[in-house]
Amino acid sequence: MRLLLLAFLLTAASCAAPPPAALSCPAERAVYALRGEPGASLRLMQTPHRLNATSDLAARVEFEGDAYWFGFTSSLGFSRNYIGAIADPLEAARLEDAGEENESGEPETDSSELVLFDADFDVIGAVPNSGDAAPAHLMANGIASSIWYSEPRRVLPLALWDLSGCADDV
């Protein structure tokens, strides 16, 4: 009986589909889906003008018909990374290029920690820049908090963002 059970288990295991291959994408084209909220997406994008020394990328979150922008920064001590709301960097660059006043600045992080993971859920220490491989997952609860305190108030779940695709355009 044990031999029959073992044969059955081995046969069933050999018929199982192999695990899906991890997505590969350059960070500046990465698209993420939020677990438990199919209507939310996050896209990493290169900004026309670098926001700070930490990264040349920003995160654009689309949720319930609106777009929210977030920038990255890193601490100088224990190497924590943070994410915070910023003004639309495309509009800020347009104003700056036109010689108009522009009040964009550092992200308003309010200590909103950003944790990046590879496909094995090992922590990635550095915030991505253009040309880097996109993290497979990211945890950034400050995004939900920022959207909660925006107008109109919206509820975005606290959950993990998973790399779901690679955008065609840069």
Side-chain angles (χ1 to χ4, degrees):
M1 181 68 173
R2 286 185 188 170
L3 187 57
L4 184 61
L5 181 58
L6 179 61
F8 173 75
L9 291 175
L10 289 173
T11 302
S14 68
C15 294
L23 283 175
S24 176
C25 184
E28 67 273 17
R29 294 177 42 215
V31 178
Y32 295 84
L34 184 63
R35 291 182 182 188
E37 182 51 67
S41 68
L42 183 150
R43 162 102 192 264
L44 297 181
M45 301 174 70
Q46 188 173 21
T47 58
H49 300 163
R50 191 175 184 97
L51 299 176
N52 56 37
T54 302
S55 179
D56 65 343
L57 301 177
R60 183 174 194 250
V61 173
E62 292 187 14
F63 182 56
E64 294 186 355
D66 284 324
Y68 304 87
W69 287 92
F70 298 88
F72 308 111
T73 191
S74 295
S75 67
L76 298 175
F78 185 67
S79 299
R80 286 187 174 166
N81 299 312
Y82 300 94
I83 190 167
I86 58 171
D88 178 338
L90 305 177
E91 178 63 14
R94 187 194 67 74
L95 290 172
E96 187 176 324
D97 291 346
E100 297 179 35
E101 201 164 314
N102 176 13
E103 300 209 10
S104 63
E106 285 291 310
E108 298 174 17
T109 62
D110 296 326
S111 298
S112 296
E113 194 165 352
L114 170 70
V115 184
L116 306 161
F117 302 96
D118 65 15
D120 294 325
F121 286 96
D122 292 326
V123 173
I124 299 170
V127 172
N129 277 278
S130 295
D132 292 345
H137 313 278
L138 59 93
M139 185 68 161
N141 288 338
I143 292 173
S145 174
S146 182
I147 290 173
W148 169 260
Y149 288 109
S150 66
E151 290 291 329
R153 180 172 284 179
R154 294 188 168 114
V155 179
L156 190 68
L158 298 176
L160 199 63
W161 294 89
D162 298 311
L163 183 61
S164 61
C166 195
D168 293 333
D169 62 334
V170 179

